[in-house]
Amino acid sequence: PTIEASNYNTMKLAVISLLLSGATAFTIPHNTPTFATRLSLADAVADVTEEVAEDAADVEIEPEVEAAPAYTCITKEEILSTPNCIELGAIWDPLGLADIGPDETVAWFRHAEIKHGRVAMAAFFGWCAVGLGYRFPGELSEGLEFDSIPSGGLEAWDATPGWGKAQMLILAGLIEFHDEIFHSRRGTHYLRGGTPGKNMVPGLYDPLGFARSRSEEDLARGREVEIKNGRLAMIGFMGLYAAATIEGSVPAQPPC
């Protein structure tokens, strides 16, 4: 039996009920007690109801199966296969973060790792450049020359006016916001099969298009090198910060 058969029996029950109720309305009065008509109607309804109940009991309801997603995210195995782990001999994941979610979670982790690595590389380079005495020409703001900026990293940040800090944070937020938009509108999102860490903001990276002539193998190796350099820069920046805030926390580290 199928769902259609059950529906048919239900309709049959309704039609019989309507016909019987309509027929009693036009019956010529006679000496037959009214309870007899009601009894016969009740018997007919009971018979059909029992038949419908038996059909419904035989119907097999198939469990609902969740539809497969219309996209294919890069797999966890593909993400963790690069870069190589020559330095440690295995994937360093003591907290088991790679196992707390599906492929999309690991793709998001890798995308965030690459972005944090890029920021750390820029911060580490800037900290070192200021410490070595390199300065831009002109004024940082009205009445504040670049040459007057202290050489220490944190001191240089403190000397930056509040609006200057706000501009940097707003710029970083706009880059992040538009990167997500362009990932969805101008390419394949990194959670929907795209490449985690790929920059989608026009002109932000490689504005002269040097990467266009590189092979896929060369680009893949460049991504691996970027991840490793980003990891090293995050460690290096935290070392500079620790040395600047906690005296003696980094042995052999000169004042920074």
Side-chain angles (χ1 to χ4, degrees):
T2 62
I3 298 298
E4 289 76 6
S6 178
N7 293 337
Y8 171 74
N9 289 326
T10 303
M11 293 178 61
K12 182 168 65 173
L13 173 60
V15 171
I16 291 175
S17 301
L18 290 173
L19 291 177
L20 291 176
S21 61
T24 57
F26 295 97
T27 301
I28 299 175
H30 50 78
N31 296 327
T32 305
T34 57
F35 74 87
T37 303
R38 293 175 182 174
L39 182 60
S40 60
L41 176 59
D43 293 339
V45 172
D47 293 341
V48 176
T49 303
E50 184 179 355
E51 182 180 353
V52 171
E54 292 177 355
D55 292 341
D58 295 336
V59 174
E60 296 181 359
I61 301 177
E62 298 182 358
E64 295 184 1
V65 179
E66 294 184 2
Y71 61 87
T72 302
C73 180
I74 183 173
T75 65
K76 183 186 306 184
E77 289 72 20
E78 291 180 89
I79 296 173
L80 298 180
S81 64
T82 58
N84 60 58
C85 302
I86 296 177
E87 298 84 0
L88 300 176
I91 297 175
W92 192 75
D93 184 19
L95 299 180
L97 298 178
D99 299 323
I100 66 174
D103 295 338
E104 288 83 354
T105 302
V106 181
W108 187 87
F109 284 158
R110 173 53 57 85
H111 190 75
E113 177 190 26
I114 294 175
K115 283 192 172 184
H116 290 162
R118 290 169 180 168
V119 173
M121 285 188 282
F124 184 85
F125 177 81
W127 194 311
C128 293
V130 172
L132 292 173
Y134 293 100
R135 300 290 187 277
F136 286 110
E139 293 182 336
L140 175 61
S141 63
E142 185 177 358
L144 180 62
E145 298 283 341
F146 276 107
D147 290 337
S148 64
I149 297 296
S151 295
L154 294 182
E155 290 80 3
W157 174 255
D158 292 337
T160 304
W163 279 112
K165 298 175 182 177
Q167 289 175 14
M168 287 186 279
L169 295 176
I170 292 173
L171 177 61
L174 289 175
I175 292 174
E176 179 72 14
F177 178 73
H178 286 87
D179 186 60
E180 288 293 325
I181 291 180
F182 294 145
H183 259 293
S184 301
R185 297 184 178 180
R186 298 189 177 184
T188 304
H189 197 273
Y190 56 89
L191 297 182
R192 298 294 184 268
T195 302
K198 183 178 181 180
N199 170 67
M200 298 298 292
V201 179
L204 182 63
Y205 173 75
D206 192 22
L208 301 179
F210 291 115
R212 297 175 184 173
S213 59
R214 300 173 64 182
S215 64
E216 287 298 326
E217 292 78 9
D218 196 16
L219 290 174
R221 182 183 179 279
R223 286 191 290 268
E224 293 187 10
V225 171
E226 180 186 29
I227 294 174
K228 288 192 174 186
N229 289 342
R231 292 172 177 174
L232 185 60
M234 287 187 276
I235 297 174
F237 177 80
M238 290 307 301
L240 291 175
Y241 183 82
T245 55
I246 305 175
E247 185 177 356
S249 59
V250 182
Q253 171 66 45
C256 57

